[in-house]
Amino acid sequence: MRRPTVTKSELMPGGDDQMFRTFIHDFLAFSARVDQCRAGFGDRLGISGIAYTTLISVAHLQGSEGVGVSRIAEHLHLSGAFVTIEVSKLVKAGLLHKRANQEDRRRVLLTVTPKAEKLLAQLVEVQAPVNDALFDCLSASEFRQLASMMARLVACGDKAVSLMGFLSAPAAPRAAEPARKAARRR
């Protein structure tokens, strides 16, 4: 008999992990399609998918003053260093403005350029129907429920990644090991 890949009873309706495994594979398939759409949006702007995600996040979060790299990183669940690299590419492409934060000169504020505003406005003609199609099968209440669950799943994902790192780390040598090796050399 095959061992189940989960142990939580909530993830094993019927007492086995068949539904869980099907869910994971469907989730991965859907994630791949979302990523393909994101890459397509980026292609239309002449940038990568992650650069598109960074750009549109700045556009949505900048307000009247601009938005900091740390806020974008938090929003996207990415490291500040990674976002800084993407921001540099977008600045070089003329899609983002970067200026010093007057309250904290060590930080920068980001805003989209007029060029980016124009490109993002044109993108809506493709973006809106594609996004509608991605979630076409959901009712309004199902979408609200999924959005709520997704926010919680990100935190669970962070916990799982940390656990994976911990459980996959090579075991530290036991304290007696070096003493035994030294004794054999004598």
Side-chain angles (χ1 to χ4, degrees):
M1 182 173 165
R2 187 184 49 77
R3 290 185 64 184
T5 57
V6 292
T7 58
K8 282 186 71 165
S9 61
E10 295 88 346
L11 304 177
M12 299 175 68
D16 65 30
D17 68 345
Q18 180 64 42
M19 184 179 207
F20 173 79
R21 288 183 293 113
T22 299
F23 167 77
I24 288 295
H25 296 140
D26 289 344
F27 184 84
L28 291 170
F30 182 71
S31 295
R33 279 135 182 99
V34 170
D35 199 47
Q36 288 174 315
C37 291
R38 177 177 78 164
F41 296 152
D43 284 346
R44 291 186 68 91
L45 300 180
I47 57 179
S48 69
I50 188 62
Y52 156 76
T53 300
T54 304
L55 179 65
I56 200 155
S57 295
V58 172
H60 286 275
L61 297 173
Q62 71 183 3
S64 60
E65 298 296 315
V67 62
V69 169
S70 60
R71 175 66 183 109
I72 297 298
E74 175 186 308
H75 176 73
L76 296 176
H77 306 281
L78 297 170
S79 73
F82 183 81
V83 171
T84 297
I85 291 168
E86 292 303 314
V87 163
S88 294
K89 294 175 191 174
L90 291 166
V91 168
K92 186 175 181 180
L95 299 173
L96 285 182
H97 283 299
K98 183 168 71 169
R99 64 180 170 78
N101 182 335
Q102 296 302 319
E103 294 174 15
D104 183 346
R105 304 290 294 171
R106 297 169 296 170
R107 299 186 183 276
V108 297
L109 291 173
L110 308 168
T111 54
V112 296
T113 64
K115 175 183 174 182
E117 288 175 4
K118 182 179 177 185
L119 288 170
L120 289 172
Q122 292 169 349
L123 182 63
V124 170
E125 294 174 16
V126 171
Q127 183 185 38
V130 168
N131 284 337
D132 289 348
L134 271 173
F135 298 96
D136 188 49
C137 61
L138 300 180
S139 68
S141 65
E142 288 171 328
F143 177 72
R144 283 190 298 274
Q145 187 176 16
L146 178 62
S148 171
M149 284 189 274
M150 196 58 64
R152 293 189 341 249
L153 284 171
V154 170
C156 289
D158 290 342
K159 181 179 174 182
V161 168
S162 292
L163 181 60
M164 179 66 141
F166 174 77
L167 295 175
S168 298
R174 292 179 290 172
E177 199 73 20
R180 262 191 256 129
K181 287 181 182 177
R184 278 189 242 144
R185 280 184 262 159
R186 290 184 206 157

